[in-house]
Amino acid sequence: MSDPAALSRLPAVDAVLRLPDADALAGEHGRQRLATAVRDELAQARARVRAGGEVPTAAEVLDDARTRLDSAAARRVRRVVNATGVVVHTNLGRAPLSDAARRAVTEALGYATVEYDLDTGERGSRTGHLGDLAAELCGTEAATTVNNGAAGLLLVLAALAGGREVVVSRGELIEIGGSFRLPDVMTMAGVRLVEVGTTNRTRPDDYRDAIGPDTALLLKVHRSNFRQVGFTREVTTAELAAIGRAASIPVVHDTGSGLIHDVADGPLAAFADEPPARRALADGADVVVFSGDKLLGGPQAGIVAGRRALVDRCARHPLARALRIDKLQRAALEATLLAHLRNAVPTDVPSVAMLTADPDALRARAEALAARVRGQLGDRLAVDDLAGASSSDVPHGRPRLRVEPTDGVVGGGALPGTTLPSWGLVIDGVDPDRLAARLRHGEVPVVCRIERDRVIADVRTVASDDEQELVAMLVAALG
Ligand SMILES: *Cc1c(COP(=O)(O)O)cnc(C)c1O
């Protein structure tokens, strides 16, 4: 039962804040925030005391306030080791930047020539040089850049078709995720959607028949995150471009992933289903739109490339100012585009290297990492004498570590259903959810996959800079 006198024994806020340890905590988090945390803790303590609980001391209240403030601080954006095998992991920041891009970002952190021309000493263009690089890479006349791919599409629609009609196949009215649905985006951009064809089949005549005096654009949208199989018919970019040319209506292709070159027989052959920006333009699209941080491997950005007159209309539209990239994106994107200009498959761009990594090399890395973990844990790991046994044969208790083939994926809503043959450190014999949670809460959080009750650390997405941490965190979590 609650003791009415107990409430009066609760420490006062001031008494907690006068404790010697409070000063350091106030220095770290701010006195105002510490006072708020102490008040919140005291409110909870009051409720507990009313329910018959113990009266905490001032030191205990301060400790609880520290825990509250620390766990809030831990929610800041933090580096993680991505051991999921998902290369373009949207929740983990999509593409990791190259060393060159990181250096460029570092240089741009202070004052920088973001919109300044050193030759004239006057105002320069934020996206001019960047646009030139993107246009060169795409083999087209002009390009401009905005904050992300979704913004690129919004800008193109508003600038090239505001107040008028845009024709789209019913099979391409996609949802990209995060409530970005094409029909809604069109409404936001102030354009009228004219749907043609059916979910599975759209023919060239469907577009031709839909064209009227108010048609401003023919839009093709890549179905990035799902696949259609069976009785289907899609109008190709080349077919659509011919229709657009005949009617003098521009054709825009949202290619999505930022693949640039045809990859049919190169190390990126697994991505043959993605439309390369260069091919879309060569096939006659007047403008392409794509992301900077998917297969391109750069920062979050949207690239709009194509005919100069159309790109200029986009760049001059008032929305372009609201959707502009910041100086850090600009720096990182310039470095990334330069890497792609030097090399069609730039393996100095980490996500490109991860996507093209050779399975045999991944196996060797996985074996080497496993050997380091085994070397440090010794007999705290179960002896692997059950090769080929299923996880259910291993009683929970001592963890067992093996190296096995796994399936990596591209991620980022690109290439659904395509897996990349990979290798991973596979751990069973322990509660997989608890182990995965321990790994997430290590000094450097490690994010793994759980499959069939086993924790899998896929090495495809573990950068060589992350190997040290992966080993240390596995040893700490398993030891
Ligand atoms: C990913 C994607 C977008 C959105 O790009 P973000 O950079 O994520 O904003 C738009 N269209 C397609 C086809 C996409 O695949």
Side-chain angles (χ1 to χ4, degrees):
M1 268 321 290
S2 98
D3 163 13
L7 280 179
S8 65
R9 292 202 305 275
L10 273 170
V13 175
D14 279 349
V16 179
L17 293 177
R18 276 197 305 270
L19 289 171
D21 285 353
D23 276 345
L25 211 50
E28 203 178 321
H29 296 283
R31 191 158 290 279
Q32 200 61 49
R33 299 183 72 212
L34 175 59
T36 304
V38 168
R39 269 187 214 103
D40 290 346
E41 286 304 333
L42 281 170
Q44 289 197 352
R46 200 167 295 123
R48 282 197 301 272
V49 170
R50 278 211 187 90
E54 295 280 313
V55 177
T57 64
E60 284 166 346
V61 172
L62 186 65
D63 252 359
D64 291 343
R66 180 199 319 273
T67 305
R68 180 183 285 258
L69 289 167
D70 284 351
S71 70
R75 293 209 309 271
R76 77 183 197 282
V77 66
R78 292 175 68 188
R79 167 192 173 195
V80 301
V81 173
N82 176 8
T84 63
V86 182
V87 178
V88 184
H89 197 305
T90 297
N91 303 143
L92 299 182
R94 287 206 180 151
L97 295 180
S98 67
D99 288 342
R102 287 168 200 236
R103 282 195 302 274
V105 168
T106 304
E107 184 168 347
L109 287 172
Y111 294 123
T113 57
V114 182
E115 282 185 18
Y116 188 80
D117 186 331
L118 289 174
D119 290 333
T120 61
E122 286 170 11
R123 182 178 177 168
S125 159
R126 177 178 296 252
T127 60
H129 177 240
L130 195 52
D132 292 346
L133 293 178
E136 188 183 343
L137 184 61
C138 294
T140 187
E141 291 173 11
T144 190
T145 46
V146 286
N147 185 49
N148 56 22
L153 189 56
L154 179 68
L155 177 62
V156 164
L157 291 169
L160 304 183
R164 301 182 61 206
E165 289 176 356
V166 175
V167 185
V168 190
S169 160
R170 288 199 170 89
E172 297 176 3
L173 291 175
I174 61 168
E175 173 178 315
I176 291 157
S179 74
F180 190 87
R181 294 175 147 188
L182 199 57
D184 301 339
V185 174
M186 301 196 114
T187 307
M188 293 291 303
V191 309
R192 287 197 303 285
L193 166 63
V194 176
E195 302 176 22
V196 296
T198 60
T199 304
N200 56 327
R201 288 174 70 85
T202 304
R203 290 183 282 266
D205 274 344
D206 295 328
Y207 287 93
R208 281 192 200 98
D209 295 347
I211 291 175
D214 223 17
T215 308
L217 278 187
L218 306 180
L219 175 64
K220 185 166 181 60
V221 184
H222 177 53
R223 287 190 286 256
S224 318
N225 49 10
F226 73 106
R227 263 193 192 157
Q228 253 188 1
V229 293
F231 188 53
T232 61
R233 168 73 161 96
E234 173 180 354
V235 175
T236 66
T237 314
E239 288 172 327
L240 197 58
I243 297 166
R245 249 193 327 276
S248 300
I249 295 169
V251 170
V252 172
H253 190 170
D254 175 3
T255 61
S257 72
L259 188 68
I260 303 296
H261 301 280
D262 262 304
V263 293
D265 47 5
L268 286 167
F271 310 136
D273 286 346
E274 289 294 313
R278 269 180 171 267
R279 192 207 297 155
L281 289 160
D283 282 350
D286 298 286
V287 169
V288 293
V289 182
F290 56 87
S291 284
D293 55 357
K294 295 181 182 172
L295 296 186
L296 197 69
Q300 178 186 301
I303 291 121
V304 175
R307 285 193 200 289
R308 184 173 302 282
L310 300 174
V311 170
D312 283 352
R313 268 166 68 193
C314 295
R316 282 197 309 267
H317 191 274
L319 258 185
R321 171 65 178 79
L323 303 175
R324 76 180 183 187
I325 60 170
D326 86 321
K327 62 180 181 177
L328 307 184
Q329 289 171 296
R330 175 181 165 181
L333 188 56
E334 270 171 357
T336 307
L337 292 173
L338 283 169
H340 282 269
L341 282 167
R342 277 193 298 269
N343 195 332
V345 183
T347 47
D348 48 337
V349 173
S351 58
V352 174
M354 290 169 183
L355 289 167
T356 56
D358 168 39
D360 289 340
L362 293 174
R363 177 181 193 165
R365 279 183 61 205
E367 303 274 10
L369 289 167
R372 283 162 70 183
V373 175
R374 287 195 188 104
Q376 290 190 51
L377 283 176
D379 59 10
R380 273 172 290 172
L381 289 175
V383 181
D384 185 12
D385 53 0
L386 294 167
S390 73
S391 58
S392 56
D393 299 334
V394 184
H396 279 192
R398 255 193 314 173
R400 183 176 60 166
L401 168 66
R402 290 191 291 186
V403 170
E404 287 183 16
T406 60
D407 283 329
V409 295
V410 177
L415 290 140
T418 300
T419 54
L420 305 168
S422 188
W423 284 82
L425 281 62
V426 178
I427 300 150
D428 59 12
V430 286
D431 180 338
D433 296 313
R434 281 189 58 192
L435 177 58
R438 288 183 77 162
L439 287 165
R440 288 197 307 273
H441 288 102
E443 200 176 302
V444 178
V446 175
V447 185
C448 292
R449 240 178 29 230
I450 297 178
E451 259 175 39
R452 289 184 289 132
D453 268 348
R454 303 153 354 138
V455 173
I456 300 179
D458 193 315
V459 299
R460 183 181 285 275
T461 48
V462 176
S464 49
D465 287 350
D466 290 337
E467 288 186 353
Q468 185 66 37
E469 277 82 4
L470 177 62
V471 170
M473 295 304 125
L474 281 171
V475 168
L478 290 169

